[in-house]
Amino acid sequence: MRITGLSLAGLLVLGAGAAGWAYWHLNDNIGSVDINGALGDDRPAKALTAPSPGPADTAAPLPTGSLNLLVLGSDSRSGEENQELGGGEGGSARSDTAMVVHLPAGRTAATVVSIPRDTLVDRPACPLPDGESTRPVSGAMFNSAYEVGGPVCAVKTVEALTGVRMDHYLEIDFAGFARLVDALGGVTVTTDEDIDDDRSHLTLEAGTHHLDGTQALALARTRYDIGDGSDLGRIELQQRLVKALLEQIGRQNLLTSPTRLYEVADALTGSLTADTGLDSLGELTRFGRSLRGLSSADVTTVTMPVLPAPWDRNRVVADQPEAEELWASLR
Protein backbone atom coordinates (compact mmCIF):
# COMPACT_ATOMS: atom_id res chain seq x y z
CA MET A 1 0.00 0.00 0.00
CA ARG A 2 2.86 2.37 0.79
CA ILE A 3 4.50 1.33 -2.49
CA THR A 4 1.40 2.35 -4.40
CA GLY A 5 0.87 5.74 -2.83
CA LEU A 6 4.46 6.90 -2.55
CA SER A 7 5.43 5.66 -6.01
CA LEU A 8 2.51 7.32 -7.72
CA ALA A 9 2.99 10.52 -5.75
CA GLY A 10 6.61 10.61 -6.85
CA LEU A 11 5.65 10.40 -10.49
CA LEU A 12 3.93 13.74 -10.17
CA VAL A 13 7.30 15.46 -9.73
CA LEU A 14 8.56 14.34 -13.15
CA GLY A 15 8.55 16.64 -16.18
CA ALA A 16 5.12 17.80 -17.29
CA GLY A 17 5.01 15.86 -20.56
CA ALA A 18 6.47 12.66 -19.15
CA ALA A 19 4.30 12.90 -16.05
CA GLY A 20 1.19 13.39 -18.17
CA TRP A 21 1.88 10.30 -20.25
CA ALA A 22 2.91 8.28 -17.17
CA TYR A 23 -0.23 9.31 -15.31
CA TRP A 24 -2.46 8.25 -18.21
CA HIS A 25 -0.62 4.95 -18.69
CA LEU A 26 -0.55 3.94 -15.03
CA ASN A 27 -4.12 5.03 -14.46
CA ASP A 28 -5.19 2.94 -17.45
CA ASN A 29 -3.31 -0.05 -16.00
CA ILE A 30 -5.55 -0.37 -12.95
CA GLY A 31 -8.46 -2.79 -13.13
CA SER A 32 -11.69 -1.80 -11.39
CA VAL A 33 -14.57 -3.62 -9.72
CA ASP A 34 -17.63 -1.99 -8.19
CA ILE A 35 -17.96 -3.91 -4.91
CA ASN A 36 -20.33 -1.43 -3.26
CA GLY A 37 -22.66 -1.31 -6.25
CA ALA A 38 -22.86 -5.10 -6.46
CA LEU A 39 -23.39 -5.79 -2.75
CA GLY A 40 -25.63 -2.86 -1.81
CA ASP A 41 -26.45 -2.19 1.84
CA ASP A 42 -26.82 -5.76 3.15
CA ARG A 43 -23.36 -5.71 4.71
CA PRO A 44 -21.66 -5.12 8.07
CA ALA A 45 -21.74 -1.52 9.26
CA LYS A 46 -18.99 0.87 8.18
CA ALA A 47 -16.45 1.96 10.75
CA LEU A 48 -16.55 5.66 11.60
CA THR A 49 -13.77 7.57 9.86
CA ALA A 50 -12.47 11.07 10.38
CA PRO A 51 -10.06 13.30 8.45
CA SER A 52 -7.04 14.88 10.05
CA PRO A 53 -5.46 18.22 9.30
CA GLY A 54 -2.93 17.62 6.54
CA PRO A 55 0.15 19.66 5.62
CA ALA A 56 -0.46 23.24 4.65
CA ASP A 57 -0.10 22.41 0.94
CA THR A 58 -2.62 19.58 1.02
CA ALA A 59 -5.78 20.33 -0.95
CA ALA A 60 -7.89 18.13 1.31
CA PRO A 61 -7.14 16.66 4.74
CA LEU A 62 -5.83 13.10 4.67
CA PRO A 63 -8.09 10.44 6.20
CA THR A 64 -6.91 8.91 9.47
CA GLY A 65 -9.94 6.85 10.47
CA SER A 66 -9.83 3.08 10.85
CA LEU A 67 -10.05 1.03 7.68
CA ASN A 68 -10.27 -2.61 6.61
CA LEU A 69 -9.06 -3.90 3.27
CA LEU A 70 -9.29 -7.33 1.69
CA VAL A 71 -6.05 -8.00 -0.19
CA LEU A 72 -6.05 -11.04 -2.50
CA GLY A 73 -3.29 -12.70 -4.44
CA SER A 74 -4.88 -14.60 -7.33
CA ASP A 75 -3.46 -17.49 -9.33
CA SER A 76 -4.89 -16.01 -12.52
CA ARG A 77 -4.80 -18.29 -15.57
CA SER A 78 -5.08 -15.38 -17.97
CA GLY A 79 -2.02 -14.30 -19.92
CA GLU A 80 1.09 -16.17 -20.98
CA GLU A 81 3.20 -14.70 -18.18
CA ASN A 82 0.83 -15.93 -15.46
CA GLN A 83 0.73 -19.40 -17.00
CA GLU A 84 4.54 -19.57 -17.10
CA LEU A 85 4.62 -18.67 -13.41
CA GLY A 86 2.26 -21.49 -12.48
CA GLY A 87 -1.20 -20.09 -13.15
CA GLY A 88 -2.08 -23.09 -15.29
CA GLU A 89 -4.39 -23.21 -18.26
CA GLY A 90 -7.89 -21.93 -18.83
CA GLY A 91 -9.54 -18.69 -17.79
CA SER A 92 -10.40 -19.38 -14.15
CA ALA A 93 -8.61 -18.10 -11.08
CA ARG A 94 -8.60 -18.71 -7.34
CA SER A 95 -7.62 -16.56 -4.38
CA ASP A 96 -4.41 -18.31 -3.37
CA THR A 97 -3.64 -15.65 -0.75
CA ALA A 98 -6.17 -13.73 1.33
CA MET A 99 -5.27 -11.11 3.92
CA VAL A 100 -7.51 -8.73 5.82
CA VAL A 101 -5.51 -5.56 6.53
CA HIS A 102 -6.80 -3.53 9.48
CA LEU A 103 -5.64 0.06 9.90
CA PRO A 104 -6.72 1.51 13.24
CA ALA A 105 -7.48 5.18 13.69
CA GLY A 106 -4.32 7.21 13.12
CA ARG A 107 -2.97 4.68 10.58
CA THR A 108 0.43 4.41 12.25
CA ALA A 109 0.04 0.65 12.76
CA ALA A 110 -1.50 -2.25 10.87
CA THR A 111 -2.71 -5.77 11.60
CA VAL A 112 -2.60 -8.26 8.74
CA VAL A 113 -4.83 -11.31 9.27
CA SER A 114 -4.33 -14.25 6.89
CA ILE A 115 -7.27 -16.52 6.10
CA PRO A 116 -6.20 -20.07 5.15
CA ARG A 117 -7.48 -20.97 1.69
CA ASP A 118 -8.42 -24.45 3.00
CA THR A 119 -10.89 -23.01 5.54
CA LEU A 120 -14.39 -24.45 5.21
CA VAL A 121 -17.00 -21.69 5.31
CA ASP A 122 -20.65 -21.02 4.65
CA ARG A 123 -20.41 -19.32 1.26
CA PRO A 124 -23.35 -16.93 0.77
CA ALA A 125 -25.29 -16.36 -2.43
CA CYS A 126 -23.33 -13.83 -4.49
CA PRO A 127 -24.57 -11.53 -7.30
CA LEU A 128 -23.13 -12.14 -10.76
CA PRO A 129 -22.64 -9.59 -13.57
CA ASP A 130 -25.47 -11.15 -15.62
CA GLY A 131 -28.02 -10.49 -12.87
CA GLU A 132 -28.06 -14.07 -11.62
CA SER A 133 -26.62 -15.25 -8.30
CA THR A 134 -24.46 -18.10 -7.15
CA ARG A 135 -26.15 -20.56 -4.81
CA PRO A 136 -25.28 -20.55 -1.11
CA VAL A 137 -23.15 -23.51 -0.03
CA SER A 138 -22.37 -24.80 3.45
CA GLY A 139 -18.90 -26.20 4.07
CA ALA A 140 -17.34 -24.73 0.93
CA MET A 141 -13.61 -24.10 0.52
CA PHE A 142 -12.90 -20.45 1.27
CA ASN A 143 -10.99 -19.84 -1.97
CA SER A 144 -13.89 -21.20 -4.04
CA ALA A 145 -15.73 -17.90 -3.49
CA TYR A 146 -13.41 -16.07 -5.86
CA GLU A 147 -13.54 -18.92 -8.35
CA VAL A 148 -17.35 -18.94 -8.62
CA GLY A 149 -18.11 -15.24 -8.17
CA GLY A 150 -14.92 -13.20 -8.50
CA PRO A 151 -13.98 -10.29 -6.22
CA VAL A 152 -17.59 -9.52 -5.27
CA CYS A 153 -18.16 -13.02 -3.91
CA ALA A 154 -14.75 -13.04 -2.21
CA VAL A 155 -15.64 -9.84 -0.34
CA LYS A 156 -19.13 -11.04 0.57
CA THR A 157 -17.77 -14.35 1.85
CA VAL A 158 -15.12 -12.63 3.98
CA GLU A 159 -17.72 -10.27 5.43
CA ALA A 160 -20.03 -13.22 6.22
CA LEU A 161 -17.14 -15.08 7.88
CA THR A 162 -15.81 -12.15 9.90
CA GLY A 163 -18.66 -9.72 10.43
CA VAL A 164 -16.17 -7.01 9.41
CA ARG A 165 -16.95 -4.50 6.66
CA MET A 166 -14.31 -4.51 3.90
CA ASP A 167 -13.90 -0.82 3.07
CA HIS A 168 -11.65 -1.55 0.10
CA TYR A 169 -10.46 -4.38 -2.11
CA LEU A 170 -7.06 -4.89 -3.75
CA GLU A 171 -5.92 -7.82 -5.89
CA ILE A 172 -2.61 -8.62 -7.56
CA ASP A 173 -1.85 -11.68 -9.72
CA PHE A 174 1.21 -13.93 -10.06
CA ALA A 175 2.92 -11.89 -12.76
CA GLY A 176 2.36 -8.59 -10.98
CA PHE A 177 3.86 -9.83 -7.73
CA ALA A 178 6.97 -11.18 -9.47
CA ARG A 179 7.46 -7.96 -11.47
CA LEU A 180 7.03 -5.85 -8.34
CA VAL A 181 9.73 -7.75 -6.46
CA ASP A 182 12.09 -7.43 -9.44
CA ALA A 183 11.39 -3.70 -9.74
CA LEU A 184 12.35 -3.29 -6.07
CA GLY A 185 15.65 -5.09 -6.69
CA GLY A 186 14.59 -8.35 -5.06
CA VAL A 187 13.73 -9.15 -1.46
CA THR A 188 15.76 -10.67 1.39
CA VAL A 189 14.05 -13.43 3.39
CA THR A 190 15.25 -15.87 6.06
CA THR A 191 13.91 -19.44 6.11
CA ASP A 192 14.15 -21.72 9.14
CA GLU A 193 14.30 -25.00 7.23
CA ASP A 194 15.48 -26.39 3.91
CA ILE A 195 12.98 -26.13 1.06
CA ASP A 196 12.85 -28.49 -1.90
CA ASP A 197 9.34 -28.19 -3.30
CA ASP A 198 8.67 -29.85 -6.65
CA ARG A 199 5.34 -28.06 -7.06
CA SER A 200 6.59 -24.51 -6.53
CA HIS A 201 9.96 -25.40 -8.14
CA LEU A 202 11.91 -23.83 -5.28
CA THR A 203 15.05 -25.22 -3.65
CA LEU A 204 16.61 -23.27 -0.77
CA GLU A 205 18.80 -24.19 2.15
CA ALA A 206 17.79 -22.87 5.56
CA GLY A 207 19.17 -19.38 6.02
CA THR A 208 18.99 -15.90 4.55
CA HIS A 209 18.50 -15.46 0.80
CA HIS A 210 18.05 -12.55 -1.59
CA LEU A 211 15.29 -13.63 -3.98
CA ASP A 212 14.25 -12.32 -7.37
CA GLY A 213 10.59 -12.04 -8.35
CA THR A 214 10.16 -15.60 -9.62
CA GLN A 215 11.84 -17.04 -6.52
CA ALA A 216 9.80 -14.83 -4.17
CA LEU A 217 6.60 -15.97 -5.86
CA ALA A 218 7.69 -19.60 -5.54
CA LEU A 219 8.34 -19.02 -1.83
CA ALA A 220 4.87 -17.53 -1.41
CA ARG A 221 3.39 -20.65 -3.06
CA THR A 222 5.54 -23.23 -1.23
CA ARG A 223 3.48 -25.52 0.93
CA TYR A 224 4.16 -29.24 0.65
CA ASP A 225 7.82 -29.27 1.73
CA ILE A 226 7.51 -27.22 4.92
CA GLY A 227 6.02 -28.00 8.30
CA ASP A 228 3.13 -30.45 8.05
CA GLY A 229 2.45 -29.55 4.42
CA SER A 230 -0.68 -27.57 5.26
CA ASP A 231 -1.59 -24.05 4.19
CA LEU A 232 -0.53 -22.73 7.61
CA GLY A 233 3.16 -23.18 6.79
CA ARG A 234 2.73 -21.32 3.52
CA ILE A 235 0.94 -18.48 5.30
CA GLU A 236 3.92 -18.05 7.63
CA LEU A 237 6.21 -17.69 4.60
CA GLN A 238 3.81 -15.20 3.00
CA GLN A 239 3.75 -13.10 6.16
CA ARG A 240 7.54 -13.05 6.22
CA LEU A 241 7.50 -11.83 2.63
CA VAL A 242 5.12 -8.99 3.52
CA LYS A 243 7.48 -7.81 6.26
CA ALA A 244 10.54 -8.24 4.02
CA LEU A 245 8.96 -6.19 1.22
CA LEU A 246 8.14 -3.36 3.62
CA GLU A 247 11.72 -3.40 4.88
CA GLN A 248 13.02 -3.37 1.30
CA ILE A 249 10.91 -0.31 0.52
CA GLY A 250 12.13 1.40 3.67
CA ARG A 251 15.74 1.00 2.55
CA GLN A 252 15.14 2.72 -0.78
CA ASN A 253 14.45 6.26 -1.87
CA LEU A 254 12.50 5.78 -5.06
CA LEU A 255 11.99 9.51 -5.50
CA THR A 256 15.67 9.94 -6.41
CA SER A 257 15.37 7.64 -9.44
CA PRO A 258 12.50 8.46 -11.81
CA THR A 259 13.23 5.36 -13.91
CA ARG A 260 13.13 3.00 -10.94
CA LEU A 261 10.09 4.79 -9.60
CA TYR A 262 8.23 4.29 -12.84
CA GLU A 263 9.24 0.61 -13.01
CA VAL A 264 7.83 -0.02 -9.53
CA ALA A 265 4.58 1.85 -10.25
CA ASP A 266 4.14 0.15 -13.63
CA ALA A 267 4.81 -3.31 -12.17
CA LEU A 268 2.24 -2.76 -9.45
CA THR A 269 -0.56 -1.09 -11.40
CA GLY A 270 -0.15 -3.44 -14.38
CA SER A 271 -1.58 -6.35 -12.40
CA LEU A 272 -3.69 -4.48 -9.86
CA THR A 273 -7.47 -4.64 -9.50
CA ALA A 274 -9.11 -2.31 -6.99
CA ASP A 275 -12.59 -1.36 -5.88
CA THR A 276 -14.05 1.87 -7.20
CA GLY A 277 -12.75 3.77 -4.16
CA LEU A 278 -9.10 3.01 -5.00
CA ASP A 279 -9.10 2.49 -8.76
CA SER A 280 -7.35 5.69 -9.83
CA LEU A 281 -3.90 7.17 -9.33
CA GLY A 282 -5.31 10.06 -7.34
CA GLU A 283 -7.15 7.79 -4.91
CA LEU A 284 -4.21 5.40 -4.53
CA THR A 285 -1.80 8.28 -3.99
CA ARG A 286 -3.95 9.88 -1.32
CA PHE A 287 -4.40 6.52 0.38
CA GLY A 288 -0.65 5.87 0.30
CA ARG A 289 0.10 9.29 1.76
CA SER A 290 -2.27 8.54 4.65
CA LEU A 291 0.09 5.66 5.55
CA ARG A 292 3.27 7.76 5.54
CA GLY A 293 3.88 7.05 9.24
CA LEU A 294 3.68 3.27 8.83
CA SER A 295 6.82 1.11 8.88
CA SER A 296 7.44 -2.65 8.87
CA ALA A 297 7.98 -2.57 12.64
CA ASP A 298 4.41 -1.28 13.03
CA VAL A 299 2.86 -4.22 11.14
CA THR A 300 1.55 -7.23 13.09
CA THR A 301 0.86 -10.43 11.15
CA VAL A 302 -1.46 -13.13 12.49
CA THR A 303 -3.50 -16.02 11.12
CA MET A 304 -7.18 -16.59 11.80
CA PRO A 305 -7.36 -19.24 14.55
CA VAL A 306 -8.33 -22.56 12.97
CA LEU A 307 -8.46 -26.25 13.83
CA PRO A 308 -8.77 -29.37 11.65
CA ALA A 309 -12.29 -30.00 10.39
CA PRO A 310 -13.70 -33.05 12.24
CA TRP A 311 -15.05 -34.53 9.00
CA ASP A 312 -12.03 -33.73 6.80
CA ARG A 313 -8.54 -33.62 8.32
CA ASN A 314 -7.20 -31.96 5.16
CA ARG A 315 -9.39 -28.91 5.78
CA VAL A 316 -9.74 -26.44 8.65
CA VAL A 317 -12.56 -24.53 10.29
CA ALA A 318 -12.54 -21.35 12.37
CA ASP A 319 -11.56 -22.06 15.97
CA GLN A 320 -14.21 -20.44 18.14
CA PRO A 321 -14.44 -18.35 20.23
CA GLU A 322 -10.87 -17.24 19.44
CA ALA A 323 -11.62 -16.43 15.80
CA GLU A 324 -14.64 -14.32 16.68
CA GLU A 325 -12.65 -12.45 19.33
CA LEU A 326 -10.02 -11.60 16.72
CA TRP A 327 -12.55 -10.29 14.20
CA ALA A 328 -14.40 -8.35 16.92
CA SER A 329 -11.16 -6.49 17.68
CA LEU A 330 -11.12 -5.19 14.08
CA ARG A 331 -14.68 -3.87 13.97
Side-chain angles (χ1 to χ4, degrees):
M1 294 177 287
R2 287 186 72 204
I3 298 171
T4 304
L6 298 179
S7 297
L8 300 180
L11 284 170
L12 301 180
V13 306
L14 301 178
W21 181 89
Y23 188 96
W24 173 85
H25 175 72
L26 296 175
N27 201 67
D28 191 57
N29 272 348
I30 303 168
S32 177
V33 56
D34 186 1
I35 301 291
N36 290 333
L39 294 184
D41 296 326
D42 186 19
R43 305 174 64 187
K46 289 184 178 180
L48 296 177
T49 60
S52 69
D57 59 347
T58 302
L62 294 174
T64 60
S66 63
L67 202 67
N68 293 299
L69 305 91
L70 176 60
V71 179
L72 292 188
S74 69
D75 67 341
S76 173
R77 268 76 168 158
S78 62
E80 182 178 346
E81 189 175 3
N82 276 316
Q83 292 183 24
E84 290 177 353
L85 290 170
E89 299 177 352
S92 65
R94 296 164 296 181
S95 54
D96 250 20
T97 303
M99 296 180 176
V100 173
V101 180
H102 174 70
L103 300 167
R107 303 193 185 182
T108 57
T111 300
V112 179
V113 184
S114 296
I115 302 175
R117 53 172 278 180
D118 294 339
T119 304
L120 297 179
V121 300
D122 292 332
R123 193 179 72 215
C126 301
L128 296 172
D130 62 4
E132 299 294 322
S133 296
T134 65
R135 63 185 182 88
V137 176
S138 180
M141 282 268 287
F142 169 74
N143 71 338
S144 69
Y146 185 95
E147 189 172 11
V148 303
V152 170
C153 196
V155 170
K156 187 167 185 179
T157 301
V158 169
E159 291 184 342
L161 173 67
T162 66
V164 179
R165 172 77 169 235
M166 296 297 109
D167 300 292
H168 290 297
Y169 171 86
L170 291 172
E171 174 192 333
I172 189 167
D173 64 22
F174 278 6
F177 178 80
R179 287 200 303 268
L180 175 60
V181 172
D182 284 336
L184 288 168
V187 61
T188 301
V189 180
T190 299
T191 60
D192 297 330
E193 57 185 293
D194 295 343
I195 296 174
D196 187 12
D197 193 318
D198 292 337
R199 302 199 187 195
S200 67
H201 307 294
L202 181 67
T203 301
L204 290 176
E205 294 182 355
T208 300
H209 304 272
H210 190 75
L211 308 180
D212 63 19
T214 300
Q215 292 171 318
L217 176 62
L219 184 66
R221 301 184 63 213
T222 292
R223 166 178 183 173
Y224 295 99
D225 194 56
I226 56 172
D228 61 1
S230 73
D231 198 38
L232 300 181
R234 172 165 57 186
I235 284 175
E236 182 180 348
L237 291 178
Q238 291 172 348
Q239 292 174 343
R240 289 191 186 190
L241 271 173
V242 169
K243 287 284 193 115
L245 279 171
L246 286 173
E247 290 168 1
Q248 177 75 351
I249 297 163
R251 287 191 292 266
Q252 301 186 36
N253 187 356
L254 295 175
L255 299 183
T256 63
S257 174
T259 301
R260 187 84 171 276
L261 176 64
Y262 178 79
E263 288 175 355
V264 171
D266 192 40
L268 182 65
T269 59
S271 298
L272 187 71
T273 299
D275 70 281
T276 49
L278 286 178
D279 62 352
S280 73
L281 293 191
E283 290 161 335
L284 283 171
T285 299
R286 188 165 183 264
F287 174 64
R289 290 178 60 231
S290 78
L291 307 179
R292 63 192 183 278
L294 187 65
S295 71
S296 61
D298 304 316
V299 178
T300 301
T301 56
V302 297
T303 301
M304 182 183 76
V306 295
L307 49 80
W311 57 92
D312 187 345
R313 306 301 290 182
N314 294 318
R315 302 289 179 260
V316 297
V317 294
D319 185 6
Q320 302 296 0
E322 287 81 359
E324 171 54 28
E325 291 171 355
L326 171 62
W327 298 125
S329 70
L330 307 186
R331 294 182 190 132

